Amino acid sequence: MNKAQNAAHPASSGIIALVRRELRALWRDPWQLALISYIPMLGILCLWWLFSAGLPRQLPVAIVDQDHSQLSRMLTRQLKANPVTEPRSFTDLSSAVAAMQQAQVYAVVVFPHDMKKDLLTGHKPTIDVRYNSQFLLVGKLLSSQIQLSLGDGLLQVAGIKQLMTGTPKSQVAVNLSPVKSQTTALFNRNNNYIGFLVPPVLVALWQLLSMLVMANSLNRELHLNAAQSEEGISNRLTEHFWPKVLAKILLFTPILMLQGGFILAWLYLYLALPFAGSLALLLFAQLIMLLVVWSLVLFIFVLMRDSARVISFCTALFAPAFAFMGITFPTHEMPQLAQWWRLIMPSSHYIESHVSVVSYGAAWPTLAQQLSSYWGFIGLLPLIYLLATKLLPMTVKAQAEAAEYDAVPLPTKGQ
């Protein structure tokens, strides 16, 4: 009788017993242990190492020289002097375009026939510059750097032409560049890709790992023997489901917050990337984002109640998080469906707070206003409760029927 009462009322053993239950399950699951220990650390360090150079260097650029003049060779040297570009000679345009299609080069520059002659005789030759825009950042960088290098070289030719027409040397520079401009990046003065790309990439990775941790823990409840109990805690899915969910949140939230804190400490304390705000505000924003991730995973779990489908759907939902953050592509240019999808992702809401705190030094009032964008997720809570009330008993009943069917012995041959 005491054992039955204990099984019916696990609350008497307290939430601590449920947390201990989760800890034992975690210890017996090597994959779950990997997700909360060395996999995040390896992922963070590998992603940082990929961008550790800070700026792309010596990107291959195809040069098709149809002019074969002193000017074309000088412009090629200008491109060679630029640390971003590495010119590679090609005999014809078709082979250069084929190399770009195979990602052997990222851009093609074609110097046309009689380019020098046309420039010196007042004509306007066209230098054909093509780049692969599929590589968004590489294409944008090459476009600007190629134009800068060619522009500097052509200014020299324009200066020689003006001197030949009798323009005083002191006036040549004024004629060529009557207005000088200076471009200064406000929040990334060195144009360092680590500060630009690595934080959102790591946030997307952290969100994906958080989803997997909670989804695996919830899926485990589907595969337990409902007829058994552990320390008086029933393994039946519908028995004290919400205390079990609370125990999972209490166990995994501090662990995942340690990972998120490690990301911030690595970027802004160890690597000393520019940081204008408060780490405490970012940690609070991470906590809100994590709780929203938990609610989304729980919603998908009670809706599908199948391990493979839960993992597949959650992965499809969260995998493209980086693309929807608006870091490398303006979100207002996305199709309407993509913008709706973006609103479902917690990382898309968090990244706005991250940029505000890191770049602008936003304080608590601004952060609170930005975090209010999560209000729509509050509506998930009653929906999750209703779905759990209706659908979880159906799953338990189906599992019981399947167990009874498996327990029935099959008739032997000849009977």
Side-chain angles (χ1 to χ4, degrees):
M1 182 67 181
N2 291 337
K3 183 177 180 180
Q5 290 177 348
N6 215 13
H9 301 283
S12 61
S13 59
I15 197 68
I16 297 178
L18 292 170
V19 173
R20 285 201 304 264
R21 173 179 179 266
E22 293 299 323
L23 280 171
R24 285 191 296 269
L26 176 63
W27 184 253
R28 292 193 293 263
D29 190 341
W31 171 239
Q32 190 82 325
L33 276 174
L35 284 176
I36 67 167
S37 56
Y38 64 86
I39 286 182
M41 299 301 104
L42 288 177
I44 291 170
L45 295 177
C46 287
L47 286 172
W48 165 78
W49 175 76
L50 287 175
F51 297 96
S52 59
L55 278 173
R57 301 283 181 178
Q58 297 181 331
L59 298 173
V61 175
I63 304 296
V64 181
D65 189 355
Q66 299 174 347
D67 189 38
H68 301 290
S69 65
Q70 183 181 3
L71 174 61
S72 63
R73 289 190 290 271
M74 184 270 291
L75 292 177
T76 301
R77 288 195 297 271
Q78 287 287 118
L79 292 172
K80 183 70 174 178
N82 192 322
V84 175
T85 56
E86 182 185 356
R88 296 183 180 179
S89 297
F90 285 79
T91 57
D92 55 83
L93 179 59
S94 59
S95 60
V97 171
M100 185 170 65
Q101 292 174 344
Q102 297 172 8
Q104 297 175 2
V105 297
Y106 296 104
V108 176
V109 179
V110 181
F111 299 131
H113 292 287
D114 298 327
M115 178 179 62
K116 182 178 180 181
K117 178 181 176 182
D118 289 343
L119 280 173
L120 295 178
T121 56
H123 295 83
K124 297 180 179 180
T126 300
I127 299 178
D128 188 0
V129 178
R130 310 180 187 187
Y131 61 91
N132 193 340
S133 61
Q134 288 180 331
F135 304 97
L136 294 177
L137 297 175
V138 170
K140 181 180 178 181
L141 180 64
L142 279 178
S143 175
S144 62
Q145 293 301 313
I146 289 174
Q147 292 182 43
L148 180 64
S149 297
L150 295 179
D152 289 343
L154 293 173
L155 278 178
Q156 300 177 25
V157 178
I160 294 174
K161 182 180 177 181
Q162 292 201 19
L163 290 174
M164 292 173 62
T165 60
T167 304
K169 188 175 182 180
S170 59
Q171 188 64 28
V172 170
V174 177
N175 292 342
L176 294 178
S177 301
V179 178
K180 291 186 178 294
S181 61
Q182 176 181 345
T183 303
T184 303
L186 293 177
F187 309 113
N188 191 10
R189 294 192 176 185
N190 296 324
N191 293 321
N192 193 320
Y193 274 34
I194 294 180
F196 175 60
L197 282 180
V198 173
V201 169
L202 293 184
V203 168
L205 173 66
W206 181 61
Q207 178 180 247
L208 192 61
L209 291 172
S210 302
M211 175 275 297
L212 287 173
V213 167
M214 180 56 72
N216 287 337
S217 182
L218 290 170
N219 285 338
R220 170 181 170 271
E221 302 294 337
L222 296 172
H223 304 291
L224 296 176
N225 188 342
Q228 297 179 354
S229 62
E230 188 174 351
E231 288 192 0
I233 302 173
S234 174
N235 286 335
R236 186 181 297 274
L237 183 61
T238 52
E239 289 292 329
H240 307 281
F241 176 74
W242 298 112
K244 293 175 183 176
V245 171
L246 177 60
K248 297 176 190 297
I249 294 175
L250 291 177
L251 173 63
F252 292 116
T253 297
I255 295 175
L256 271 299
M257 285 302 299
L258 283 176
Q259 295 179 8
F262 176 79
I263 292 174
L264 297 179
W266 177 265
L267 294 175
Y268 301 112
L269 297 182
Y270 180 75
L271 298 180
L273 295 180
F275 186 79
S278 168
L279 284 177
L281 291 179
L282 282 187
L283 285 172
F284 182 77
Q286 282 188 348
L287 176 61
I288 300 300
M289 170 187 162
L290 188 62
L291 294 177
V292 174
V293 171
W294 293 158
S295 65
L296 278 172
V297 175
L298 184 59
F299 171 73
I300 295 170
F301 171 78
V302 298
L303 184 64
M304 297 188 170
R305 307 173 317 283
D306 179 87
S307 300
R309 292 179 181 177
V310 169
I311 295 295
S312 299
F313 191 89
C314 287
T315 302
L317 176 65
F318 290 110
F322 175 74
F324 290 153
M325 287 185 185
I327 297 297
T328 58
F329 188 84
T331 57
H332 63 272
E333 297 292 339
M334 294 179 177
Q336 191 62 45
L337 179 61
Q339 294 188 38
W340 291 340
W341 192 349
R342 179 180 183 270
L343 292 176
I344 300 175
M345 293 197 185
S347 56
S348 300
H349 300 265
Y350 166 80
I351 201 64
E352 296 179 1
S353 302
H354 185 98
V355 172
S356 297
V357 173
V358 171
S359 299
Y360 301 98
W364 167 249
T366 303
L367 181 68
Q369 183 179 3
Q370 291 172 338
L371 293 179
S372 64
S373 64
Y374 286 113
W375 69 267
F377 293 98
I378 298 177
L380 279 178
L381 300 180
L383 186 58
I384 291 171
Y385 179 80
L386 291 175
L387 288 174
T389 304
K390 297 292 184 180
L391 300 180
L392 293 185
M394 296 170 56
T395 302
V396 172
K397 182 179 179 181
Q399 289 176 342
E401 292 176 351
E404 290 178 0
Y405 178 79
D406 293 339
V408 174
L410 296 175
T412 59
K413 187 175 180 181
Q415 289 184 343

PDB file of all heavy atoms in Angstrom, residues 165-194:
ATOM      1  N   THR A 165      47.637  66.825 -71.891  1.00  0.00           N
ATOM      2  CA  THR A 165      46.823  67.921 -72.440  1.00  0.00           C
ATOM      3  C   THR A 165      47.233  69.275 -71.885  1.00  0.00           C
ATOM      4  O   THR A 165      46.589  70.282 -72.194  1.00  0.00           O
ATOM      5  CB  THR A 165      45.346  67.673 -72.135  1.00  0.00           C
ATOM      6  OG1 THR A 165      45.151  67.602 -70.716  1.00  0.00           O
ATOM      7  CG2 THR A 165      44.872  66.385 -72.792  1.00  0.00           C
ATOM      8  N   GLY A 166      48.286  69.308 -71.047  1.00  0.00           N
ATOM      9  CA  GLY A 166      48.792  70.582 -70.544  1.00  0.00           C
ATOM     10  C   GLY A 166      48.258  71.008 -69.199  1.00  0.00           C
ATOM     11  O   GLY A 166      48.493  72.141 -68.766  1.00  0.00           O
ATOM     12  N   THR A 167      47.533  70.152 -68.511  1.00  0.00           N
ATOM     13  CA  THR A 167      47.015  70.493 -67.178  1.00  0.00           C
ATOM     14  C   THR A 167      48.165  70.576 -66.184  1.00  0.00           C
ATOM     15  O   THR A 167      49.004  69.672 -66.134  1.00  0.00           O
ATOM     16  CB  THR A 167      45.992  69.447 -66.713  1.00  0.00           C
ATOM     17  OG1 THR A 167      44.959  69.332 -67.688  1.00  0.00           O
ATOM     18  CG2 THR A 167      45.382  69.833 -65.374  1.00  0.00           C
ATOM     19  N   PRO A 168      48.224  71.636 -65.381  1.00  0.00           N
ATOM     20  CA  PRO A 168      49.297  71.731 -64.380  1.00  0.00           C
ATOM     21  C   PRO A 168      49.258  70.558 -63.411  1.00  0.00           C
ATOM     22  O   PRO A 168      48.180  70.059 -63.047  1.00  0.00           O
ATOM     23  CB  PRO A 168      49.004  73.054 -63.668  1.00  0.00           C
ATOM     24  CG  PRO A 168      48.176  73.847 -64.627  1.00  0.00           C
ATOM     25  CD  PRO A 168      47.380  72.835 -65.404  1.00  0.00           C
ATOM     26  N   LYS A 169      50.437  70.123 -62.992  1.00  0.00           N
ATOM     27  CA  LYS A 169      50.516  68.953 -62.115  1.00  0.00           C
ATOM     28  C   LYS A 169      49.771  69.174 -60.810  1.00  0.00           C
ATOM     29  O   LYS A 169      49.169  68.249 -60.253  1.00  0.00           O
ATOM     30  CB  LYS A 169      51.985  68.625 -61.845  1.00  0.00           C
ATOM     31  CG  LYS A 169      52.192  67.319 -61.103  1.00  0.00           C
ATOM     32  CD  LYS A 169      53.672  66.990 -60.967  1.00  0.00           C
ATOM     33  CE  LYS A 169      53.880  65.663 -60.259  1.00  0.00           C
ATOM     34  NZ  LYS A 169      55.322  65.325 -60.128  1.00  0.00           N
ATOM     35  N   SER A 170      49.794  70.419 -60.292  1.00  0.00           N
ATOM     36  CA  SER A 170      49.100  70.703 -59.032  1.00  0.00           C
ATOM     37  C   SER A 170      47.590  70.607 -59.169  1.00  0.00           C
ATOM     38  O   SER A 170      46.879  70.414 -58.183  1.00  0.00           O
ATOM     39  CB  SER A 170      49.483  72.098 -58.535  1.00  0.00           C
ATOM     40  OG  SER A 170      49.136  73.074 -59.517  1.00  0.00           O
ATOM     41  N   GLN A 171      47.101  70.752 -60.429  1.00  0.00           N
ATOM     42  CA  GLN A 171      45.667  70.716 -60.647  1.00  0.00           C
ATOM     43  C   GLN A 171      45.148  69.324 -60.966  1.00  0.00           C
ATOM     44  O   GLN A 171      43.949  69.055 -60.842  1.00  0.00           O
ATOM     45  CB  GLN A 171      45.314  71.656 -61.810  1.00  0.00           C
ATOM     46  CG  GLN A 171      43.829  71.875 -62.038  1.00  0.00           C
ATOM     47  CD  GLN A 171      43.140  72.578 -60.879  1.00  0.00           C
ATOM     48  OE1 GLN A 171      43.787  73.356 -60.155  1.00  0.00           O
ATOM     49  NE2 GLN A 171      41.857  72.314 -60.681  1.00  0.00           N
ATOM     50  N   VAL A 172      46.059  68.407 -61.339  1.00  0.00           N
ATOM     51  CA  VAL A 172      45.636  67.068 -61.745  1.00  0.00           C
ATOM     52  C   VAL A 172      44.925  66.339 -60.602  1.00  0.00           C
ATOM     53  O   VAL A 172      43.850  65.756 -60.780  1.00  0.00           O
ATOM     54  CB  VAL A 172      46.845  66.256 -62.243  1.00  0.00           C
ATOM     55  CG1 VAL A 172      46.461  64.794 -62.431  1.00  0.00           C
ATOM     56  CG2 VAL A 172      47.362  66.830 -63.552  1.00  0.00           C
ATOM     57  N   ALA A 173      45.532  66.359 -59.416  1.00  0.00           N
ATOM     58  CA  ALA A 173      44.930  65.647 -58.283  1.00  0.00           C
ATOM     59  C   ALA A 173      43.562  66.204 -57.931  1.00  0.00           C
ATOM     60  O   ALA A 173      42.638  65.461 -57.591  1.00  0.00           O
ATOM     61  CB  ALA A 173      45.851  65.715 -57.068  1.00  0.00           C
ATOM     62  N   VAL A 174      43.403  67.527 -58.066  1.00  0.00           N
ATOM     63  CA  VAL A 174      42.109  68.148 -57.762  1.00  0.00           C
ATOM     64  C   VAL A 174      41.073  67.738 -58.787  1.00  0.00           C
ATOM     65  O   VAL A 174      39.909  67.452 -58.456  1.00  0.00           O
ATOM     66  CB  VAL A 174      42.257  69.687 -57.713  1.00  0.00           C
ATOM     67  CG1 VAL A 174      40.894  70.337 -57.461  1.00  0.00           C
ATOM     68  CG2 VAL A 174      43.241  70.088 -56.631  1.00  0.00           C
ATOM     69  N   ASN A 175      41.470  67.671 -60.048  1.00  0.00           N
ATOM     70  CA  ASN A 175      40.536  67.278 -61.100  1.00  0.00           C
ATOM     71  C   ASN A 175      40.101  65.823 -60.959  1.00  0.00           C
ATOM     72  O   ASN A 175      38.943  65.477 -61.225  1.00  0.00           O
ATOM     73  CB  ASN A 175      41.169  67.498 -62.473  1.00  0.00           C
ATOM     74  CG  ASN A 175      41.377  68.974 -62.788  1.00  0.00           C
ATOM     75  OD1 ASN A 175      40.773  69.834 -62.150  1.00  0.00           O
ATOM     76  ND2 ASN A 175      42.236  69.273 -63.761  1.00  0.00           N
ATOM     77  N   LEU A 176      41.054  64.971 -60.582  1.00  0.00           N
ATOM     78  CA  LEU A 176      40.731  63.540 -60.485  1.00  0.00           C
ATOM     79  C   LEU A 176      39.882  63.229 -59.265  1.00  0.00           C
ATOM     80  O   LEU A 176      38.967  62.400 -59.323  1.00  0.00           O
ATOM     81  CB  LEU A 176      42.030  62.719 -60.442  1.00  0.00           C
ATOM     82  CG  LEU A 176      42.876  62.748 -61.711  1.00  0.00           C
ATOM     83  CD1 LEU A 176      44.154  61.937 -61.501  1.00  0.00           C
ATOM     84  CD2 LEU A 176      42.105  62.198 -62.906  1.00  0.00           C
ATOM     85  N   SER A 177      40.171  63.875 -58.156  1.00  0.00           N
ATOM     86  CA  SER A 177      39.424  63.601 -56.909  1.00  0.00           C
ATOM     87  C   SER A 177      39.066  64.922 -56.251  1.00  0.00           C
ATOM     88  O   SER A 177      39.714  65.345 -55.274  1.00  0.00           O
ATOM     89  CB  SER A 177      40.253  62.733 -55.956  1.00  0.00           C
ATOM     90  OG  SER A 177      40.603  61.508 -56.560  1.00  0.00           O
ATOM     91  N   PRO A 178      38.067  65.619 -56.783  1.00  0.00           N
ATOM     92  CA  PRO A 178      37.699  66.911 -56.178  1.00  0.00           C
ATOM     93  C   PRO A 178      37.155  66.765 -54.764  1.00  0.00           C
ATOM     94  O   PRO A 178      37.266  67.681 -53.957  1.00  0.00           O
ATOM     95  CB  PRO A 178      36.620  67.446 -57.128  1.00  0.00           C
ATOM     96  CG  PRO A 178      36.071  66.229 -57.805  1.00  0.00           C
ATOM     97  CD  PRO A 178      37.223  65.275 -57.923  1.00  0.00           C
ATOM     98  N   VAL A 179      36.575  65.618 -54.460  1.00  0.00           N
ATOM     99  CA  VAL A 179      36.045  65.380 -53.113  1.00  0.00           C
ATOM    100  C   VAL A 179      36.625  64.073 -52.608  1.00  0.00           C
ATOM    101  O   VAL A 179      36.492  63.030 -53.256  1.00  0.00           O
ATOM    102  CB  VAL A 179      34.500  65.305 -53.118  1.00  0.00           C
ATOM    103  CG1 VAL A 179      33.991  65.008 -51.715  1.00  0.00           C
ATOM    104  CG2 VAL A 179      33.900  66.601 -53.647  1.00  0.00           C
ATOM    105  N   LYS A 180      37.276  64.129 -51.485  1.00  0.00           N
ATOM    106  CA  LYS A 180      37.828  62.921 -50.870  1.00  0.00           C
ATOM    107  C   LYS A 180      36.885  62.454 -49.777  1.00  0.00           C
ATOM    108  O   LYS A 180      36.381  63.256 -48.984  1.00  0.00           O
ATOM    109  CB  LYS A 180      39.222  63.187 -50.285  1.00  0.00           C
ATOM    110  CG  LYS A 180      40.287  63.429 -51.347  1.00  0.00           C
ATOM    111  CD  LYS A 180      41.662  63.549 -50.726  1.00  0.00           C
ATOM    112  CE  LYS A 180      42.738  63.747 -51.773  1.00  0.00           C
ATOM    113  NZ  LYS A 180      42.892  62.572 -52.643  1.00  0.00           N
ATOM    114  N   SER A 181      36.638  61.175 -49.734  1.00  0.00           N
ATOM    115  CA  SER A 181      35.737  60.598 -48.733  1.00  0.00           C
ATOM    116  C   SER A 181      36.487  59.593 -47.881  1.00  0.00           C
ATOM    117  O   SER A 181      37.440  58.956 -48.341  1.00  0.00           O
ATOM    118  CB  SER A 181      34.534  59.922 -49.402  1.00  0.00           C
ATOM    119  OG  SER A 181      34.967  58.870 -50.232  1.00  0.00           O
ATOM    120  N   GLN A 182      36.047  59.474 -46.657  1.00  0.00           N
ATOM    121  CA  GLN A 182      36.623  58.500 -45.735  1.00  0.00           C
ATOM    122  C   GLN A 182      35.489  57.687 -45.138  1.00  0.00           C
ATOM    123  O   GLN A 182      34.512  58.246 -44.627  1.00  0.00           O
ATOM    124  CB  GLN A 182      37.417  59.189 -44.621  1.00  0.00           C
ATOM    125  CG  GLN A 182      37.965  58.214 -43.585  1.00  0.00           C
ATOM    126  CD  GLN A 182      38.730  58.914 -42.476  1.00  0.00           C
ATOM    127  OE1 GLN A 182      39.084  60.074 -42.613  1.00  0.00           O
ATOM    128  NE2 GLN A 182      38.968  58.204 -41.393  1.00  0.00           N
ATOM    129  N   THR A 183      35.615  56.379 -45.209  1.00  0.00           N
ATOM    130  CA  THR A 183      34.612  55.474 -44.662  1.00  0.00           C
ATOM    131  C   THR A 183      35.158  54.828 -43.395  1.00  0.00           C
ATOM    132  O   THR A 183      36.211  54.201 -43.423  1.00  0.00           O
ATOM    133  CB  THR A 183      34.233  54.381 -45.674  1.00  0.00           C
ATOM    134  OG1 THR A 183      33.767  55.007 -46.870  1.00  0.00           O
ATOM    135  CG2 THR A 183      33.154  53.469 -45.119  1.00  0.00           C
ATOM    136  N   THR A 184      34.447  55.015 -42.287  1.00  0.00           N
ATOM    137  CA  THR A 184      34.870  54.455 -41.012  1.00  0.00           C
ATOM    138  C   THR A 184      33.735  53.620 -40.438  1.00  0.00           C
ATOM    139  O   THR A 184      32.631  54.142 -40.230  1.00  0.00           O
ATOM    140  CB  THR A 184      35.259  55.560 -40.011  1.00  0.00           C
ATOM    141  OG1 THR A 184      36.296  56.361 -40.587  1.00  0.00           O
ATOM    142  CG2 THR A 184      35.746  54.948 -38.700  1.00  0.00           C
ATOM    143  N   ALA A 185      33.978  52.338 -40.231  1.00  0.00           N
ATOM    144  CA  ALA A 185      32.965  51.467 -39.623  1.00  0.00           C
ATOM    145  C   ALA A 185      32.795  51.836 -38.154  1.00  0.00           C
ATOM    146  O   ALA A 185      33.772  51.952 -37.413  1.00  0.00           O
ATOM    147  CB  ALA A 185      33.382  50.011 -39.759  1.00  0.00           C
ATOM    148  N   LEU A 186      31.546  52.044 -37.741  1.00  0.00           N
ATOM    149  CA  LEU A 186      31.304  52.483 -36.370  1.00  0.00           C
ATOM    150  C   LEU A 186      31.582  51.389 -35.355  1.00  0.00           C
ATOM    151  O   LEU A 186      32.154  51.637 -34.296  1.00  0.00           O
ATOM    152  CB  LEU A 186      29.851  52.959 -36.239  1.00  0.00           C
ATOM    153  CG  LEU A 186      29.492  54.236 -37.017  1.00  0.00           C
ATOM    154  CD1 LEU A 186      28.007  54.537 -36.854  1.00  0.00           C
ATOM    155  CD2 LEU A 186      30.324  55.415 -36.527  1.00  0.00           C
ATOM    156  N   PHE A 187      31.173  50.159 -35.649  1.00  0.00           N
ATOM    157  CA  PHE A 187      31.241  49.097 -34.647  1.00  0.00           C
ATOM    158  C   PHE A 187      32.172  47.957 -35.036  1.00  0.00           C
ATOM    159  O   PHE A 187      32.283  46.987 -34.318  1.00  0.00           O
ATOM    160  CB  PHE A 187      29.833  48.541 -34.395  1.00  0.00           C
ATOM    161  CG  PHE A 187      28.821  49.607 -34.099  1.00  0.00           C
ATOM    162  CD1 PHE A 187      27.789  49.864 -34.985  1.00  0.00           C
ATOM    163  CD2 PHE A 187      28.926  50.384 -32.958  1.00  0.00           C
ATOM    164  CE1 PHE A 187      26.863  50.852 -34.717  1.00  0.00           C
ATOM    165  CE2 PHE A 187      28.004  51.378 -32.685  1.00  0.00           C
ATOM    166  CZ  PHE A 187      26.974  51.616 -33.573  1.00  0.00           C
ATOM    167  N   ASN A 188      32.824  48.071 -36.189  1.00  0.00           N
ATOM    168  CA  ASN A 188      33.753  47.023 -36.622  1.00  0.00           C
ATOM    169  C   ASN A 188      34.845  47.679 -37.458  1.00  0.00           C
ATOM    170  O   ASN A 188      34.945  47.492 -38.666  1.00  0.00           O
ATOM    171  CB  ASN A 188      33.012  45.955 -37.436  1.00  0.00           C
ATOM    172  CG  ASN A 188      33.860  44.723 -37.673  1.00  0.00           C
ATOM    173  OD1 ASN A 188      34.935  44.570 -37.093  1.00  0.00           O
ATOM    174  ND2 ASN A 188      33.396  43.839 -38.536  1.00  0.00           N
ATOM    175  N   ARG A 189      35.672  48.472 -36.808  1.00  0.00           N
ATOM    176  CA  ARG A 189      36.595  49.350 -37.514  1.00  0.00           C
ATOM    177  C   ARG A 189      37.606  48.590 -38.341  1.00  0.00           C
ATOM    178  O   ARG A 189      38.095  49.100 -39.340  1.00  0.00           O
ATOM    179  CB  ARG A 189      37.322  50.246 -36.498  1.00  0.00           C
ATOM    180  CG  ARG A 189      36.379  51.211 -35.800  1.00  0.00           C
ATOM    181  CD  ARG A 189      37.107  52.276 -35.019  1.00  0.00           C
ATOM    182  NE  ARG A 189      36.174  53.225 -34.450  1.00  0.00           N
ATOM    183  CZ  ARG A 189      36.540  54.329 -33.795  1.00  0.00           C
ATOM    184  NH1 ARG A 189      37.820  54.597 -33.644  1.00  0.00           N
ATOM    185  NH2 ARG A 189      35.623  55.139 -33.302  1.00  0.00           N
ATOM    186  N   ASN A 190      37.955  47.410 -37.934  1.00  0.00           N
ATOM    187  CA  ASN A 190      38.904  46.612 -38.705  1.00  0.00           C
ATOM    188  C   ASN A 190      38.229  45.681 -39.694  1.00  0.00           C
ATOM    189  O   ASN A 190      38.894  44.870 -40.337  1.00  0.00           O
ATOM    190  CB  ASN A 190      39.791  45.787 -37.751  1.00  0.00           C
ATOM    191  CG  ASN A 190      40.653  46.662 -36.872  1.00  0.00           C
ATOM    192  OD1 ASN A 190      41.118  47.703 -37.304  1.00  0.00           O
ATOM    193  ND2 ASN A 190      40.842  46.248 -35.629  1.00  0.00           N
ATOM    194  N   ASN A 191      36.897  45.798 -39.829  1.00  0.00           N
ATOM    195  CA  ASN A 191      36.134  44.892 -40.706  1.00  0.00           C
ATOM    196  C   ASN A 191      36.452  43.431 -40.396  1.00  0.00           C
ATOM    197  O   ASN A 191      36.636  42.610 -41.294  1.00  0.00           O
ATOM    198  CB  ASN A 191      36.421  45.193 -42.176  1.00  0.00           C
ATOM    199  CG  ASN A 191      35.884  46.546 -42.584  1.00  0.00           C
ATOM    200  OD1 ASN A 191      34.805  46.934 -42.168  1.00  0.00           O
ATOM    201  ND2 ASN A 191      36.640  47.271 -43.390  1.00  0.00           N
ATOM    202  N   ASN A 192      36.533  43.133 -39.100  1.00  0.00           N
ATOM    203  CA  ASN A 192      36.902  41.798 -38.655  1.00  0.00           C
ATOM    204  C   ASN A 192      35.695  40.879 -38.726  1.00  0.00           C
ATOM    205  O   ASN A 192      34.651  41.145 -38.131  1.00  0.00           O
ATOM    206  CB  ASN A 192      37.428  41.871 -37.210  1.00  0.00           C
ATOM    207  CG  ASN A 192      38.108  40.595 -36.788  1.00  0.00           C
ATOM    208  OD1 ASN A 192      37.655  39.513 -37.111  1.00  0.00           O
ATOM    209  ND2 ASN A 192      39.205  40.726 -36.068  1.00  0.00           N
ATOM    210  N   TYR A 193      35.845  39.767 -39.441  1.00  0.00           N
ATOM    211  CA  TYR A 193      34.731  38.854 -39.612  1.00  0.00           C
ATOM    212  C   TYR A 193      34.423  38.079 -38.337  1.00  0.00           C
ATOM    213  O   TYR A 193      33.340  37.510 -38.211  1.00  0.00           O
ATOM    214  CB  TYR A 193      35.031  37.879 -40.760  1.00  0.00           C
ATOM    215  CG  TYR A 193      34.653  38.417 -42.114  1.00  0.00           C
ATOM    216  CD1 TYR A 193      34.771  39.769 -42.394  1.00  0.00           C
ATOM    217  CD2 TYR A 193      34.160  37.592 -43.100  1.00  0.00           C
ATOM    218  CE1 TYR A 193      34.425  40.276 -43.624  1.00  0.00           C
ATOM    219  CE2 TYR A 193      33.801  38.089 -44.340  1.00  0.00           C
ATOM    220  CZ  TYR A 193      33.938  39.439 -44.599  1.00  0.00           C
ATOM    221  OH  TYR A 193      33.581  39.945 -45.810  1.00  0.00           O
ATOM    222  N   ILE A 194      35.360  38.013 -37.398  1.00  0.00           N
ATOM    223  CA  ILE A 194      35.073  37.305 -36.148  1.00  0.00           C
ATOM    224  C   ILE A 194      33.962  38.026 -35.394  1.00  0.00           C
ATOM    225  O   ILE A 194      32.970  37.417 -34.976  1.00  0.00           O
ATOM    226  CB  ILE A 194      36.351  37.210 -35.283  1.00  0.00           C
ATOM    227  CG1 ILE A 194      37.391  36.332 -35.974  1.00  0.00           C
ATOM    228  CG2 ILE A 194      36.010  36.654 -33.908  1.00  0.00           C
ATOM    229  CD1 ILE A 194      38.671  36.191 -35.192  1.00  0.00           C
TER     230      ILE A 194
END
